[in-house]
Structure formats: structure tokens, C-alpha cells
Amino acid sequence: MTSYHLRCSRCGKELADDGIILAHDGCNPPGLLQTVYAATKPGPLDVLKGLFRYRDWLPVRRTFPGSHGAVAYRSEALARHLQLENLYITFSGYWPERGAFMRTCSFKELEAYTVLARLPDHFHEILVIASAGNTARAFINVCSQYRIPAVVIVPEWSIPTLWQERKPDDCVCIIALGGNSDYADVISLAGIICGRDGFVAEGGALNVARRDGLGTTVLTCAEEAGCIPDEYFQAVGSGTGAIAAWETSVRLMQNGVFPGGPMRLHVAQNIPFAPIYDAWTRQSRNLDFMSPYRFSSGKPYAEMLFNRKPPYGIAGGLYDALQATNGNVYGISNEEAAAASKLFEETEEIDIDPAAAVAVACLVRCIAERKVQREAFIMLNVTGGGFKRLQRDVSLQTSKPLVIMDSADVENIYPHLEMLKSRCSAVNNHSNCS
Ligand SMILES: *Cc1c(COP(=O)(O)O)cnc(C)c1O
Ligand SMILES: [Zn+2]
């Protein structure tokens, strides 16, 4: 449907997209693949609703009619409080009063839809997704709704964040990894499962669909303001969202869709568990080794942002994005984040995800330290929110994993995977999408 190809950001080689490719085989270490679209603007904006309005700049073969997008608006109360003239908030979550209907309450819903819309037409495999928290919730929701077979692997501690309005469909299998496992352990288990016949890696940041889906937050903001933002604020874990924001802003500039740009990235992590912040502060492309054991010294405010192995140094990754935009990384304390969450809820009148509060705190700090000008066009990416608001409208239940396993006993899950395969062979036809 969409006309595009892929380009390896390490060597520049152009490749056709088969819907699942994650990297250029010929490059080792690989670089991120990027999409190159034939269309000179994001899409048939008025024809479709939700995320797929931007179809012409999404690497997709189908659209899902029930999808929603982020919303953007010009802030009044928070802007007044911070004495800003052009503060735009892009909100991904549930906030019906503002027209925001993403019921999994984070921008991971954008990537879930786009990844699933990118899958090849006759995809008869099972998608394997490694995730902590918000990504898992988004994929469980969308895969269940459209009956797309998936294995979702999560660390056991994140199970309480897997709330849904309904029980997941039985084509979605949740596997939890116990003990001290974190996101990096979950990724290795996903790798093992993908070595088996019939299972395909979703790929995380390597998946171009994830990034272009997240990049729609910038499209929405630029569309609302009629201009490309000068300054971009986001809390980062993997950095995928910020890389995507950069790629999207460049695409808007190159095609002259809106005036403005270049857009500078301001990304924030929650210290002391902040590998990207640590590396950037050392002016290094390489991350320090981080012990796999989570949070030996107290819990971070935004637990979800902790990622030991983000795509930071890889060609086309966050380090390159920061260099290219003259960007910066900030370390935000638990106290700053908690205060920012309260400030946002009091001024804008919606609850936000702890990770998003880290971005708000980053903005507060940059204004106080005069790192950005008060009259600049600022995009604050509120990457998640409205969980409390959603709870007022519906009752939620926690999705149960099929198994909780030790990383040691991988063999024990094979029978479950085989059962899933036979159960899913009948449903794998994307019958619900257009
Ligand atoms: C995942 C997530 C982030 C961080 O995004 P990355 O793309 O991993 O850097 C920020 N906020 C929320 C709410 C998230 O779910
Ligand atoms: Zn290459």
C-alpha cells in the first residue's frame, strides 16, 4: 500500500522491505535501518482517523480501523506556570476530554499498531515480543483485538502493569521470567524462542515500524502548530522514541512539509539508573557495563525507563541523534520527577505516567537553568497518561502469564509454544483488518 524502501544507516545500502527484516545482513555490527518514503507528505490526513492518517509515512501493508493516535494541544496552565509562550503538549494515553483514546495509556500503543500493520500479508508465524510493562500491555491489547498470534515475554515484576479491560485472546501467550530478570534477560529469552521454527522476532528499536509509529507524535504536534518544534522533551529508556522523533523531524524538513527545525532533542533519564545519561556525560558512544541486578540501591521513580542495553551507540541510534541535533541528556532525581507529576496534574488536569513525569521535570529544569528560550516552540512529549482517568470509566484486570519461569528452564516452555502454534494456525489470517 505504502511506497517505500529501507536504507541501512551504517553503509547506506538500500533494501526492499519484507515486513520483518530488522537489519542489513552485510553490516556487522549492524546499523539501524531507516525508511525512505516516496510520498512527500505524511498521508491522506483527512481520509482516516487515528494513527493511520499518517499512512504514507508508515511502513505498513494494512490499517486497523480502531486505532487512535496521540493528541497535541497548546498548553495554557503549565505554560503560564513556566512562563512559556509556545509550549505544545503531545499526549499519548486516555483523556477523552482532549480527544485522547489510547486505552493502554502509553505511546507504545502507536508502535504496536504500526509493527502489526507492517507484517507481511501471508504471515503465518508467531511474533515474539520482549518487553517490560507498557510495550507488553500495548501488544497484548492490539494482538488480542485483531487475533494476531504472539508470544509476549516480560519480567515477572512487571505483571501488575499488564492490566487490560478484557482477558487476552488465547492467541496471545504471556511468559514471565522470574527472579532478578530485567528487560535485557527478557530479550535473550526472546532470542532463544525466535531460533525455533515458526517464531519471528519483533525486534524492538531495530524494527522500523516501531520508530515510525512513535514518530507520529511529532507529526501530530507539527500539524497542530503548523511548524516543526525547536525543542523536543522526552524521557528515554531505550531511546527509540527520541530517535524516531529526530528521524521524523528530518523527514518533515527535507520535504518542506512545515516550516521550522532543526529540532533539538532534550532527553531525560531517572538517576541513578541512567546508562544513557552516564555515557553521554562521559561524552562516549559506549555504554558502561551495567550489572543485571536491578536497583540494588532503592527503586527509581520511573522503573519503566530502566534499560541496560539501549540502541545508543549503534549507527543511526540515540548517540547519533543527539549529535545531529546538538541535543542533551539530563539526569532527573526521584524528587524532581514526583514534583513534576504533581505540577502537571494540577495544571493540565490529567494524571501522567511516571516516565512522562521525568520529561516534565526535565523541561522544568531546563527553563530554570535557561537552557531553552521562553519563546521557543517546545514540544513536550507526554508519552503516557490517563491511567487514573481510565479507571474512572472502566474496570481493569491483570493479565495472567501462562507460565512464570526461571531463565534456566527454557526447555519447559517448548510444549507451551507448540500448543500455541497449533492453536494459532487456524486464526492467522488478519481477517479483521482492511
Ligand atoms: C517506553 C516509554 C518511554 C521511553 O521510551 P523509549 O522509546 O524506550 O526511550 C517513556 N515513557 C513511557 C510512558 C514509556 O512507556
Ligand atoms: Zn549496511
Side-chain angles (χ1 to χ4, degrees):
M1 171 196 300
T2 309
S3 170
Y4 69 98
H5 62 267
L6 304 177
R7 187 161 57 209
C8 171
S9 54
R10 185 141 177 270
C11 72
K13 188 173 168 63
E14 310 217 314
L15 305 161
D17 187 20
D18 62 3
I20 48 177
I21 185 177
L22 299 174
H24 169 214
D25 268 347
C27 271
N28 193 9
L32 292 183
L33 295 176
Q34 289 171 334
T35 43
V36 181
Y37 295 100
T40 55
K41 52 183 180 39
L45 298 177
D46 43 346
V47 182
L48 292 162
K49 285 200 306 132
L51 167 68
F52 293 102
R53 310 158 27 73
Y54 306 116
R55 187 181 71 192
D56 288 356
W57 282 6
L58 292 173
V60 298
R61 284 161 185 72
R62 65 188 67 80
T63 62
F64 296 98
S67 80
H68 296 282
V71 296
Y73 67 95
R74 188 176 187 160
S75 161
E76 286 175 17
L78 181 62
R80 202 176 314 121
H81 181 89
L82 298 173
Q83 298 180 306
L84 296 174
E85 286 168 28
N86 277 303
L87 174 63
Y88 280 76
I89 291 171
T90 304
F91 181 90
S92 297
Y94 187 73
W95 191 3
E97 293 73 17
R98 284 268 178 203
F101 294 98
M102 290 165 59
R103 297 162 90 93
T104 68
C105 294
S106 90
F107 76 167
K108 302 297 194 304
E109 192 170 310
L110 301 170
E111 57 185 23
Y113 273 113
T114 319
V115 164
L116 298 172
R118 180 187 172 222
L119 292 175
D121 277 333
H122 300 286
F123 185 72
H124 288 296
E125 267 113 355
I126 295 174
L127 198 63
V128 179
I129 297 127
S131 158
N134 291 352
T135 305
R137 191 167 66 242
F139 274 96
I140 293 167
N141 181 292
V142 184
C143 289
S144 293
Q145 220 177 303
Y146 294 97
R147 306 210 70 206
I148 298 170
V151 177
V152 180
I153 306 163
V154 299
E156 186 180 5
W157 59 265
S158 74
I159 292 172
T161 67
L162 303 184
W163 44 263
Q164 301 279 342
E165 285 164 62
R166 275 168 227 96
K167 247 178 77 138
D169 189 89
D170 63 8
C171 69
V172 177
C173 164
I174 305 170
I175 295 175
L177 202 54
N180 257 320
S181 335
D182 70 2
Y183 184 49
D185 302 312
V186 158
I187 291 176
S188 1
L189 176 61
I192 296 171
I193 294 177
C194 292
R196 293 175 70 80
D197 200 35
F199 294 88
V200 169
E202 181 273 327
L206 298 180
N207 193 322
V208 288
R210 269 212 191 196
R211 300 205 309 281
D212 289 358
L214 295 178
T216 61
T217 56
V218 174
L219 296 178
T220 301
C221 185
E223 200 186 345
E224 177 64 27
C227 189
I228 301 168
D230 302 317
E231 316 280 357
Y232 174 88
F233 284 84
Q234 196 209 304
V236 296
S238 68
T240 312
I243 299 165
W246 166 55
E247 292 171 333
T248 303
S249 71
V250 169
R251 187 170 290 139
L252 283 171
M253 278 176 71
Q254 284 172 345
N255 289 285
V257 181
F258 296 109
M263 183 177 88
R264 181 156 62 140
L265 299 184
H266 302 270
V267 303
Q269 292 208 294
N270 191 182
I271 47 176
F273 308 98
I276 293 173
Y277 170 70
D278 295 340
W280 183 254
T281 309
R282 287 185 287 108
Q283 300 189 316
S284 169
R285 183 184 273 277
N286 301 310
L287 299 166
D288 272 333
F289 172 77
M290 277 242 161
S291 138
Y293 299 106
R294 300 172 61 241
F295 317 144
S296 38
S297 54
K299 253 167 77 106
Y301 180 81
E303 203 168 356
M304 215 69 94
L305 290 177
F306 181 67
N307 181 326
R308 271 194 291 144
K309 295 184 176 167
Y312 171 74
I314 187 173
L318 188 58
Y319 182 84
D320 287 342
L322 289 163
Q323 289 287 352
T325 63
N326 191 26
N328 203 1
V329 187
Y330 305 82
I332 299 297
S333 69
N334 286 359
E335 293 70 29
E336 285 174 283
S341 172
K342 190 158 167 282
L343 170 66
F344 195 93
E345 192 163 348
E346 283 168 4
T347 50
E348 298 295 327
E349 299 179 350
I350 188 74
D351 62 291
I352 57 174
D353 189 285
V358 169
V360 177
C362 180
L363 174 64
V364 170
R365 166 130 40 105
C366 285
I367 298 301
E369 295 178 356
R370 300 182 186 280
K371 294 241 165 52
V372 298
Q373 297 191 317
R374 294 196 188 275
E375 55 282 359
F377 171 15
I378 297 171
M379 169 172 167
L380 172 60
N381 200 340
V382 175
T383 45
F387 172 55
K388 283 203 271 182
R389 178 68 192 79
L390 181 65
Q391 281 179 308
R392 273 175 32 207
D393 287 359
V394 297
S395 72
L396 300 167
Q397 47 180 306
T398 303
S399 314
K400 299 233 169 17
L402 184 67
V403 269
I404 300 179
M405 56 176 279
D406 226 18
S407 34
D409 46 60
V410 181
E411 309 267 304
N412 291 343
I413 59 170
Y414 292 159
H416 293 292
L417 297 178
E418 290 310 313
M419 261 164 57
L420 176 71
K421 240 160 80 175
S422 49
R423 197 159 67 221
C424 291
S425 55
V427 304
N428 216 335
N429 57 11
H430 301 297
S431 53
N432 289 323
C433 22
S434 57

